[in-house]
Amino acid sequence: AQSVTQLDSQVPVFEEAPVELRCNYSSSVSVYLFWYVQYPNQGLQLLLKYLSGSTLVKGINGFEAEFNKSQTSFHLRKPSVHISDTAEYFCAVSASGGSYIPTFGRGTSLIVHP
Amino acid sequence: DTAVSQTPKYLVTQMGNDKSIKCEQNLGHDTMYWYKQDSKKFLKIMFSYNNKELIINETVPNRFSPKSPDKAHLNLHINSLELGDSAVYFCASSSSRGTQYFGPGTRLLVL
């Protein structure tokens, strides 16, 4: 079984500042890792994913994440945020073999202030 | 040409009623899911179907019954609705390697 911990429930930041949203996971097997974004009153959409290969993954809207196997982390970063990035961000993990059923973290609310 | 669609978008009903939520995906995926998101945004998987067969049934009251007439559709029927069922319900489908494609959600309010 896998588990995901998103260390911050809320991250306030000023517009154009950099941001990091933290995600740690636990698993006894190899994993796939995902970040999803949920804008207000919408469903979740994929930001980026790590399946294999390069540990630095680039996604949509200028976001990137780095897979760190030794620290079991997959932190999400953006060098300069916009007001429109205000949303809920979810980290998810699934086993790389088998059913691929994901386990989601509890979410981090990113609040971008002008 | 919405990838994953759900109806209705909003559902307001009285306690004790029975209601259904429909979901359709046109992505050709074999696996579909129902999730419940509570007021604190916590996302919990309820059911998963693969090619019309139930593969996951998390600890969910048996008042909730999923039905998959074909692999493009996964409906959720809820009997005897309770106040605690108020939440946003998301349908999703997945490709290989588990990337989830979510519907827009159904906001259920039980009065």
Side-chain angles (χ1 to χ4, degrees):
Chain A
Q2 298 82 43
S3 67
V4 178
T5 302
Q6 291 185 242
L7 296 156
D8 305 297
S9 59
Q10 208 172 76
V11 173
V13 64
F14 284 111
E15 196 174 17
E16 297 183 9
V19 71
E20 178 179 82
L21 306 183
R22 297 180 292 168
C23 172
N24 285 88
Y25 70 92
S26 170
S27 177
S28 56
V29 299
S30 296
V31 296
Y32 296 143
L33 293 155
F34 307 83
W35 276 99
Y36 291 86
V37 60
Q38 183 181 26
Y39 298 106
N41 297 316
Q42 294 186 27
L44 284 73
Q45 62 184 87
L46 182 71
L47 259 184
L48 49 77
K49 61 186 175 185
Y50 171 80
L51 302 179
S52 65
S54 172
T55 56
L56 183 63
V57 180
K58 293 191 184 299
I60 61 170
N61 301 339
F63 284 92
E64 63 180 33
E66 186 152 22
F67 170 52
N68 187 320
K69 189 174 181 180
S70 62
Q71 297 188 5
T72 60
S73 68
F74 191 54
H75 300 333
L76 181 70
R77 301 184 183 99
K78 186 169 182 178
S80 174
V81 294
H82 302 290
I83 295 285
S84 59
D85 292 323
T86 295
E88 196 79 18
Y89 291 79
F90 293 90
C91 182
V93 62
S94 64
S96 62
S99 65
Y100 309 118
I101 304 297
T103 299
F104 282 84
R106 297 191 70 95
T108 297
S109 179
L110 176 64
I111 303 168
V112 181
H113 297 280
Chain B
D1 57 345
T2 305
V4 181
S5 58
Q6 292 178 233
T7 54
K9 189 168 183 179
Y10 299 97
L11 192 48
V12 181
T13 188
Q14 300 287 331
M15 259 193 339
N17 284 350
D18 303 338
K19 290 293 178 187
S20 291
I21 307 172
K22 294 186 176 182
C23 177
E24 177 181 359
Q25 56 98 1
N26 62 8
L27 297 167
H29 294 160
D30 287 338
T31 309
M32 296 184 72
Y33 309 80
W34 278 109
Y35 290 87
K36 179 181 180 180
Q37 187 175 46
D38 64 23
S39 58
K40 294 185 178 177
K41 302 287 187 183
F42 179 54
L43 201 63
K44 177 186 172 183
I45 191 166
M46 301 172 69
F47 302 102
S48 176
Y49 267 73
N50 184 273
N51 269 325
K52 302 193 297 175
E53 288 192 23
L54 182 66
I55 57 170
I56 280 187
N57 182 354
E58 293 293 327
T59 308
V60 175
N62 57 15
R63 298 182 293 105
F64 290 80
S65 53
K67 282 190 172 47
S68 183
D70 56 61
K71 75 173 194 177
H73 295 84
L74 180 62
N75 303 323
L76 183 66
H77 189 75
I78 316 170
N79 287 327
S80 303
L81 277 154
E82 299 178 358
L83 294 177
D85 297 333
S86 296
V88 183
Y89 292 85
F90 287 103
C91 177
S93 68
S94 72
S95 63
S96 60
R97 300 187 176 187
T99 300
Q100 303 274 302
Y101 293 80
F102 285 83
T106 294
R107 285 143 189 83
L108 173 63
L109 178 60
V110 182
L111 302 173

